[in-house]
């Protein structure tokens, strides 16, 4: 049994979720009821709920209460998926919303895109949802002097902005090389709010940079995936004859 009171409460609620006593979408009792049930303070109950939220088990809906989150397996980011415009079949079903607008490059984007500060960019923001809950966030940036793409698709087929590289190719901008940098960190306040995750939930933060044959950066993407349900996959090229390959 957990020695800390909040950990004991979290253990008990976690057990109810894993055994099916609490199902996806079920609302937890209020903090007042839980405090009375466990003989604990409201602060202790909140700490327990925070632990479960950080683990991806609880979805906090402001003004409505705490609910058991729909589990969605794992979201796979394929680092070599440089020119695809469809979501890989082995990933979860995701509904995607997309909006775009023009912005100016700040220090981070200027560095990633190798541009001066305040350069004009088109920003594409993709938000993926599974069972109504946010699960992926992608911000993709294309310098305005690289291409002015048409209005984004109403129903994009990928939540991570892979279709932008396909659309760049359609207007004559060929991506020849893409580099993905994956780190694990805590979300900032905006990311936590957008993805409805706890401030202590680890995320996969992915910076993706695409260049053309001249070495010009034509696209930069900032992707955020919840760490409790995501993975990054890197595949080496298939071996060729003469390098140990067999027939």
């Amino acid at each position: 049994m957990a020695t800390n009171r909040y950990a004991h409460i979290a253990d008990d609620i976690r057990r109810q979720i894993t055994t099916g006593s609490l199902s996806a979408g079920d609302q937890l009792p209020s903090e007042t009821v839980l405090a009375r049930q466990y003989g604990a303070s409201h602060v202790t109950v909140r700490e327990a709920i925070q632990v479960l939220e950080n683990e991806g088990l609880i979805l906090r809906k402001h003004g409505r209460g705490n609910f058991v989150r729909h589990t969605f397996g794992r979201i796979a980011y394929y680092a070599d998926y440089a020119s695809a415009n469809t979501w890989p079949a082995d990933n979860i079903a995701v509904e995607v919303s997309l909006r775009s607008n023009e912005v100016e490059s700040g220090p981070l984007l200027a560095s990633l895109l190798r541009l001066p500060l305040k350069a004009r960019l088109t920003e594409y923001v993709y938000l993926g949802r599974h069972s109504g809950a946010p699960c992926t966030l992608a911000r993709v940036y294309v310098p305005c002097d690289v291409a002015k793409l048409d209005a984004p698709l109403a129903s994009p087929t990928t939540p991570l902005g892979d279709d932008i590289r396909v659309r760049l190719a359609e207007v004559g901008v060929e991506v020849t090389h893409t580099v993905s940098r994956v780190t694990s960190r805590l979300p900032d306040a905006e990311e936590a709010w957008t993805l409805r995750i706890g401030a202590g939930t680890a995320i996969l933060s992915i910076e993706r940079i695409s260049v053309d044959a001249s070495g010009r950066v034509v696209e930069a993407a900032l992707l955020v995936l919840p760490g409790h349900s995501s993975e990054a996959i890197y595949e080496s090229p298939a071996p060729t004859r003469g390098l140990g390959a067999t027939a």
Side-chain angles (χ1 to χ4, degrees):
M1 178 182 294
T3 56
N4 295 326
R5 178 62 64 86
Y6 78 86
H8 167 65
I9 296 171
D11 284 348
D12 189 56
I13 296 175
R14 187 186 300 108
R15 177 189 57 78
Q16 295 179 58
I17 294 172
T18 56
T19 60
S21 297
L22 286 171
S23 302
D26 285 352
Q27 183 173 7
L28 268 63
S30 68
E31 290 182 0
T32 299
V33 171
L34 288 173
R36 187 184 309 118
Q37 176 183 335
Y38 290 103
S41 68
H42 283 72
V43 172
T44 299
V45 169
R46 290 191 194 102
E47 289 178 331
I49 295 299
Q50 184 69 65
V51 168
L52 297 171
E53 184 183 26
N54 290 342
E55 293 176 1
L57 296 175
I58 296 298
L59 177 64
R60 193 189 303 266
K61 297 183 179 181
H62 297 287
R64 295 181 57 191
N66 302 308
F67 296 80
V68 178
R69 184 186 285 269
H70 288 268
T71 57
F72 45 80
R74 302 193 69 78
I75 303 166
Y77 172 73
Y78 289 88
D80 62 343
Y81 204 58
S83 61
N85 63 349
T86 57
W87 189 231
D90 57 346
N91 266 322
I92 64 171
V94 176
E95 296 178 355
V96 187
S97 61
L98 172 60
R99 60 179 174 82
S100 66
N101 60 293
E102 283 198 11
V103 298
E104 292 182 343
S105 60
L108 174 60
L109 292 174
S111 175
L112 292 176
L113 290 160
R114 303 173 194 165
L115 293 173
L117 291 173
K118 297 187 176 181
R120 300 300 298 174
L121 316 171
T122 304
E123 176 189 56
Y124 301 91
V125 181
Y126 295 71
L127 182 61
R129 292 183 174 85
H130 177 74
S131 297
C135 60
T136 62
L137 174 63
R139 295 183 178 91
V140 184
Y141 299 90
V142 176
C144 291
D145 62 359
V146 168
K148 294 284 287 185
L149 302 177
D150 294 334
L153 297 174
S155 299
T157 55
T158 166
L160 300 182
D162 303 282
D163 55 311
I164 293 297
R165 282 165 290 178
V166 175
R167 298 178 65 204
L168 283 171
E170 292 172 350
V171 297
V173 180
E174 292 288 346
V175 171
T176 60
H177 187 58
T178 297
V179 176
S180 296
R181 179 174 180 264
V182 183
T183 59
S184 177
R185 60 174 174 83
L186 296 178
D188 62 30
E190 181 181 1
E191 292 165 342
W193 183 87
T194 300
L195 290 175
R196 303 297 191 269
I197 56 178
T201 303
I203 60 171
L204 287 186
S205 176
I206 303 168
E207 294 179 358
R208 187 182 68 208
I209 307 299
S210 299
V211 301
D212 63 10
S214 69
R216 176 182 59 166
V217 179
V218 297
E219 178 228 41
L222 303 175
L223 316 177
V224 179
L225 306 175
H228 54 67
S229 54
S230 305
E231 61 187 1
I233 298 174
Y234 292 78
E235 295 184 0
S236 300
T240 58
R241 293 185 183 277
L243 295 176
T246 58

